Amino acid sequence: HVPSGRLAGFTELSVPPQPNRAVAQGDTIVLSEHRGHLLGMLLKGKRFKTWPIDLVIWDEVSKAKNPKSKRIRAAKYYLWKIERHWGLTGTPAANGLMDLFGQALLIDRGKSLGTSVTAYKLRYFEPVDYQGRKWEPQEHARKSIYKRLKDVAISLKASDWLDIPDI
């Protein structure tokens, strides 16, 4: 960690003496105060010329609702290197449709809702105050957004898959 001068994370590598042998990676450790900013992925990925991962599963992808957050900004570097992205969440739009942009960006690299949050806002929302700080969905927004996400998202209700007997 540059500002503090403290070690923030560590990846164990075993380099064999033979140059044609593979390097083995052991454990990666990241201090708790530095977790959630993809430091572990950075530590593991810095040593590769090509990215050895073809799928990322974003657990609780709903935490990616702010596309300007440190987490999303750090992840953008890897979005283009990894072909497939899956997101898991129980509450994709807990606070409304605006939350879906950052999640969609991680999942499909902007194919469904675009790569600009400003363009997304202008297309599907309208400001409700004169300063443009609060935005509400336009009349067509819900239907249009869901239609654009239909190829990359599925929604299940508990009744679709859960069969719990009455007590």
Side-chain angles (χ1 to χ4, degrees), residues 139-157:
E139 188 174 314
H140 69 89
R142 181 172 304 281
K143 186 175 181 179
S144 297
I145 291 169
Y146 286 172
K147 183 177 180 179
R148 294 183 73 85
L149 292 173
K150 73 179 172 65
D151 292 335
V152 297
I154 60 171
S155 176
L156 297 173
K157 297 179 183 92

Side-chain angles (χ1 to χ4, degrees), residues 91-153:
T91 54
N95 297 318
L97 296 172
M98 192 68 79
D99 289 355
L100 293 174
F101 177 80
Q103 297 171 65
L105 183 63
L106 287 182
I107 300 304
D108 69 4
R109 298 179 284 187
K111 291 176 187 154
S112 59
L113 299 179
T115 57
S116 165
V117 70
T118 302
Y120 175 71
K121 274 182 171 180
L122 294 172
R123 183 173 188 171
Y124 298 109
F125 300 85
E126 54 194 10
V128 294
D129 64 348
Y130 73 94
Q131 295 175 331
R133 292 186 180 153
K134 185 170 167 110
W135 294 71
E136 293 291 332
Q138 295 177 17
E139 188 174 314
H140 69 89
R142 181 172 304 281
K143 186 175 181 179
S144 297
I145 291 169
Y146 286 172
K147 183 177 180 179
R148 294 183 73 85
L149 292 173
K150 73 179 172 65
D151 292 335
V152 297

